[in-house]
Amino acid sequence: MSTGDETHTAVAERGTRKRRVGLKNGGKSKNKKQKTRPPSSDRFKLTQKKQKLFQKRARDYNSDEEDDESKKAPEVTIREKIFSDANMGPNYDEVEEEEDGSDKDENSDGEDHGEIQSGITRFAADDGCNAFKMAFKSIMKSKGDDALGPVLSAQKNLIAQKLSEEEAEKKAKGQARKAKYLVAEKGHVKPANHLESHEKVLIGVATKGVVKLFNAVNKAQHAQKGLNASRSKDAKVLKKRRKEAFFSELGKTPRSDSKAQKSSNSNEEEAPAWAPLRDNYMLANPKLKDWDKKQVTNEGDDFAAMSGDESYED
Amino acid sequence: MGRFKNNKKGRVNVKPIAKNNQANVDHVTGDKIPKSFVFSRTKLPGSVKQLQMDLRKLMLPYTALSLKEKKRNTLRDFLNVSGPMGVTHFLMLKKTASALSLRVARTPQGPTLTFKIHQYSLASDIAQSQTRPRCPPDLFKNPPLIVLSGFGTQELHLKLATIMFQNIFPAIDINTVKLSTCQRLVLLNYNKDTKLIDFRHYSIRLQPVGVSRKLRNFVQTHKAPDLRNLQDVSDFITKAGYGSESEGDEEAATVTLSSDLGRVNKGSTKSAVKLQEIGPRMTMQLVRVEEGLCSGGIIFSEDGNVDGKNKQDGDEEDAASEEESEEGEEGSEEDMDEDAED
């Protein structure tokens, strides 16, 4: 009864607060608290903090003293306050009235704490999880324009930093690669226009060389055609002529345009070691030349001797 | 004895064209046919690899087209393989940050010429720049001819270069050579002022001269001509078309063939020689001549400081190397001399 009187007075003095008219639910709330306490212990882990809290509540509930400030847990967070706000039930005021009366002298912290405590006490009720969820949702909705949210602003900065780093790296790599490519391709020239003037000069030089060669070949082979199967004398003369002709052809050119084409026929010593490989096998030797023609008798012996000699020639 | 496992350490993975029996000795001249390896010991960037491939094709048929080298192969490995296979020349490409260099060396202990390549163009670049690139199928069946110009016979290192290049390609015998086998040409032009050597590779084409273009095209390509505007077929044959602008050049380039060369170029009629560039194009400078195979005394160096000191040695060594090259290719020295006389 005394408490009831005091609450009344408290109500009367506090004009700013919301007030529910004519609620004398001290007993009810008390009952509620007492009723719901046992099941709460099942739901929540009874952490040290919670335990302290409960004890304090019990004390507060019984006594009117105001030395609870010191013992009040300092870990009051805004979140809890907000939760308690969100979770205001019809019994809020009433509970508050009771406690406020005792804590009136304390500063607002105390009041808040008291509110929060009551909020949490309610919290400890059966739909605590749901309450949490709703509260969190409401926060996120109001402040969550960013996907990351204010909570993750540090990470956002970090990500931005990383992105810029990566870009810088890529640029550096690209430049390095370009430089490497340039070094690799150094000297590689793609001819822009085919047949520039210098090229024409070169082609002219090459053409002259080829023409000379072909003419020489032509002469040699033509002459050879005419005289080849004929008598040995001609064969010798032919060979000499060939050699001269070839070199005269080449010699006609001025010094600056010398053409060096190997001709193995220019030098008899070059002929292969094995006699039959030589072009002039059996042609050079006058006696052997006409082997298919009718043999004069005394040549038969010579023939053997000759062939023997020839194979040793070098 | 049991079979030993193939010890791959230090083995050269050389895959030459071993299948076709290539003649080691030319059956006509009796000279040893020079064969070559084109490779590089360092890793090459993309376009230089293509250049290496182009050079290999250039040296066909007497080269290993699909030569595969590994990083761990040293020069010694190549030397060991080259002996039994009759390879006489090495062409080595090397790319460093500053320069691209080509070394031409004569095995087994012949001189080494080092060229610095200032510029190069790939065969594909050249084909792209032409309107009608030409590559007949058997273009690479025969070795190319070589034309050296501007080298002169005075300077020793140039002389050596001439000999070396002459010996890389097999000799031809003018009496028996068939002109149809001469389809490619390599030109090396030395410019005294800039000391640069231009390297070009052409394909040779013969065209009958004195025939109007229409007729020529018709005969060569068998495409039915457009006779819309003509009254009579004889007009097509006898009509004097405008001469092409290159006919003036053709005058200088006419050859009288000794024999028939395909359907079009009959023997004993005039034909024009036309060159079209294929293959890589290089501008190089001779920077060094070494006595051994990438080793040994320096006979000539572009830097100039070793030149005077080694001149005496250089003469002796040059003579020695000339003798060497004579073993394989006889008469090259005499050839040069005779040219000089004339």
Side-chain angles (χ1 to χ4, degrees):
Chain A
M1 282 303 169
S2 58
T3 52
D5 292 339
E6 282 183 8
T7 48
H8 277 297
T9 49
V11 167
E13 284 169 9
R14 291 189 356 20
T16 54
R17 286 264 174 199
K18 263 195 267 187
R19 69 165 80 176
R20 306 276 175 120
V21 181
L23 280 174
K24 265 195 194 171
N25 297 343
K28 266 196 203 166
S29 64
K30 235 196 279 187
N31 288 342
K32 269 196 187 157
K33 273 187 198 160
Q34 278 166 0
K35 257 193 225 165
T36 56
R37 215 171 260 185
S40 75
S41 58
D42 290 341
R43 288 215 196 152
F44 293 94
K45 279 186 246 169
L46 214 57
T47 58
Q48 195 70 357
K49 176 178 148 186
K50 283 271 159 51
Q51 203 167 14
K52 261 196 207 163
L53 212 58
F54 292 155
Q55 283 169 359
K56 211 189 304 169
R57 274 188 217 132
R59 264 199 305 270
D60 290 345
Y61 213 78
N62 295 330
S63 70
D64 308 334
E65 287 141 27
E66 57 256 38
D67 59 343
D68 299 332
E69 267 307 289
S70 54
K71 286 193 188 151
K72 279 179 193 160
E75 59 267 28
V76 175
T77 61
I78 295 179
R79 202 187 288 165
E80 288 178 347
K81 172 174 187 352
I82 292 170
F83 288 158
S84 59
D85 275 342
N87 212 11
M88 290 306 122
N91 298 328
Y92 171 71
D93 267 352
E94 168 206 60
V95 166
E96 181 194 329
E97 282 167 15
E98 280 186 35
E99 304 215 349
D100 275 351
S102 59
D103 302 341
K104 204 181 59 157
D105 302 344
E106 318 288 348
N107 45 15
S108 53
D109 274 354
E111 281 184 1
D112 287 352
H113 189 62
E115 287 167 9
I116 288 164
Q117 270 189 344
S118 53
I120 289 176
T121 337
R122 280 216 40 118
F123 219 43
D126 18 348
D127 52 348
C129 287
N130 202 18
F132 189 85
K133 178 176 105 186
M134 301 262 290
F136 200 75
K137 253 192 193 167
S138 69
I139 292 177
M140 284 296 110
K141 233 183 242 177
S142 63
K143 294 205 180 169
D145 290 332
D146 265 336
L148 300 174
V151 186
L152 301 175
S153 62
Q155 183 167 7
K156 211 183 355 165
N157 286 345
L158 190 63
I159 284 184
Q161 196 185 359
K162 264 198 183 164
L163 277 178
S164 63
E165 264 179 28
E166 260 178 49
E167 262 192 55
E169 244 185 65
K170 265 192 208 166
K171 249 194 197 168
K173 260 195 210 168
Q175 273 174 356
R177 218 182 300 149
K178 243 189 236 174
K180 217 167 116 184
Y181 181 73
L182 278 179
V183 167
E185 293 286 311
K186 186 173 156 190
H188 184 198
V189 171
K190 301 214 172 147
N193 181 22
H194 187 58
L195 282 195
E196 280 145 4
S197 60
H198 185 51
E199 299 299 316
K200 280 199 182 140
V201 168
L202 290 178
I203 286 190
V205 167
T207 316
K208 250 192 271 179
V210 173
V211 165
K212 251 187 303 218
L213 172 70
F214 280 16
N215 282 336
V217 166
N218 188 29
K219 252 199 193 166
Q221 290 186 349
H222 216 64
Q224 189 179 21
K225 252 193 271 176
L227 300 175
N228 201 8
S230 69
R231 295 162 44 187
S232 57
K233 225 191 283 177
D234 280 348
K236 270 196 192 151
V237 170
L238 172 66
K239 229 197 313 287
K240 219 187 275 176
R241 207 190 305 162
R242 235 184 275 156
K243 178 172 157 185
E244 283 168 4
F246 182 68
F247 284 106
S248 66
E249 284 287 332
L250 300 180
K252 263 193 230 153
T253 72
R255 237 330 135 78
S256 67
D257 194 18
S258 73
K259 177 175 153 167
Q261 196 76 29
K262 275 189 64 175
S263 161
S264 66
N265 211 35
S266 62
N267 199 344
E268 279 184 21
E269 283 89 289
E270 285 178 36
W274 192 35
L277 285 180
R278 288 183 232 155
D279 283 340
N280 51 356
Y281 185 58
M282 297 252 284
L283 295 178
N285 195 344
K287 298 215 177 138
L288 276 175
K289 221 7 241 73
D290 309 335
W291 61 271
D292 49 349
K293 305 220 173 81
K294 188 156 197 287
Q295 296 286 347
V296 183
T297 46
N298 59 348
E299 270 193 6
D301 305 334
D302 289 1
F303 184 90
M306 273 307 143
S307 63
D309 278 354
E310 219 192 18
S311 59
Y312 290 139
E313 268 175 32
D314 238 323
Chain B
M1 298 285 268
R3 270 196 43 183
F4 294 108
K5 221 160 107 165
N6 246 349
N7 188 14
K8 293 249 171 163
K9 264 194 217 172
R11 230 178 120 218
V12 174
N13 268 358
V14 169
K15 293 200 171 109
I17 324 172
K19 295 292 157 63
N20 54 349
N21 337 334
Q22 283 190 337
N24 252 349
V25 176
D26 195 348
H27 63 278
V28 174
T29 64
D31 296 336
K32 195 167 150 210
I33 295 185
K35 301 194 189 167
S36 55
F37 273 168
V38 182
F39 60 92
S40 80
R41 273 144 60 199
T42 61
K43 186 155 187 255
L44 294 176
S47 57
V48 185
K49 257 194 220 159
Q50 284 198 32
L51 181 68
Q52 183 180 311
M53 200 60 207
D54 287 340
L55 279 177
R56 274 190 197 159
K57 282 179 81 177
L58 197 148
M59 308 292 302
L60 276 179
Y62 297 118
T63 188
L65 188 60
S66 45
L67 180 67
K68 291 186 184 19
E69 68 258 2
K70 298 228 157 171
K71 234 199 257 187
R72 58 170 182 263
N73 294 143
T74 64
L75 196 56
R76 174 151 289 284
D77 295 333
F78 285 106
L79 270 177
N80 291 340
V81 177
S82 66
M85 292 177 54
V87 174
T88 56
H89 288 85
F90 284 169
L91 271 79
M92 293 170 279
L93 278 172
K94 181 172 179 187
K95 170 103 177 105
T96 60
S98 59
L100 175 65
S101 73
L102 171 72
R103 289 175 157 195
V104 182
R106 173 98 176 65
T107 62
Q109 67 247 70
T112 310
L113 298 167
T114 307
F115 294 96
K116 178 174 157 186
I117 297 181
H118 289 265
Q119 287 180 340
Y120 65 93
S121 300
L122 300 175
S124 49
D125 298 336
I126 291 178
Q128 270 175 358
S129 73
Q130 289 176 347
T131 53
R132 290 204 196 95
R134 178 179 171 260
C135 186
D138 52 353
L139 192 61
F140 294 103
K141 264 199 203 157
N142 300 106
L145 310 174
I146 180 161
V147 173
L148 297 152
S149 121
F151 278 91
T153 50
Q154 300 305 323
E155 290 168 336
L156 213 55
H157 55 272
L158 292 178
K159 214 170 160 190
L160 189 56
T162 328
I163 298 171
M164 177 84 84
F165 277 114
Q166 278 177 311
N167 294 343
I168 282 185
F169 300 104
I172 64 163
D173 174 23
I174 55 166
N175 290 318
T176 56
V177 70
K178 273 202 226 166
L179 289 181
S180 57
T181 60
C182 308
Q183 287 176 312
R184 288 187 292 140
L185 180 78
V186 170
L187 167 72
L188 283 155
N189 182 37
Y190 178 69
N191 189 339
K192 270 201 198 72
D193 307 322
T194 66
K195 294 204 181 163
L196 291 177
I197 300 177
D198 288 317
F199 180 101
R200 300 281 184 277
H201 184 209
Y202 300 106
S203 75
I204 300 175
R205 197 164 44 132
L206 288 166
Q207 258 185 356
V209 97
V211 186
S212 79
R213 179 187 269 188
K214 280 195 252 178
L215 263 184
R216 200 190 317 159
N217 278 350
F218 172 53
V219 173
Q220 277 180 334
T221 63
H222 302 274
K223 279 198 197 145
D226 187 1
L227 299 177
R228 236 181 309 185
N229 301 325
L230 300 176
Q231 301 288 344
D232 192 20
V233 173
S234 57
D235 286 347
F236 176 68
I237 295 175
T238 60
K239 188 162 164 192
Y242 295 115
S244 70
E245 49 194 37
S246 61
E247 272 201 15
D249 300 337
E250 282 179 19
E251 285 303 314
T254 21
V255 195
T256 310
L257 289 178
S258 59
S259 57
D260 293 353
L261 212 74
R263 283 177 59 241
V264 188
N265 306 299
K266 297 285 178 203
S268 72
T269 57
K270 289 200 176 279
S271 310
V273 168
K274 286 212 156 151
L275 299 182
Q276 189 168 0
E277 190 172 359
I278 51 172
R281 187 194 278 194
M282 293 194 288
T283 310
M284 11 192 237
Q285 182 186 11
L286 177 60
V287 294
R288 216 191 311 184
V289 178
E290 282 158 333
E291 172 202 340
L293 193 69
C294 297
S295 57
I298 298 184
I299 299 176
F300 165 79
S301 169
E302 193 60 31
D303 305 327
N305 37 9
V306 265
D307 218 1
K309 198 169 54 158
N310 287 359
K311 251 262 158 75
Q312 293 170 346
D313 304 334
D315 283 340
E316 292 166 6
E317 282 153 0
D318 212 10
S321 63
E322 283 168 8
E323 281 168 18
E324 245 175 71
S325 53
E326 261 185 79
E327 288 166 18
E329 294 83 14
E330 304 148 52
S332 56
E333 216 18 63
E334 290 137 343
D335 217 65
M336 277 304 298
D337 287 345
E338 284 165 11
D339 271 338
E341 280 163 17
D342 288 353

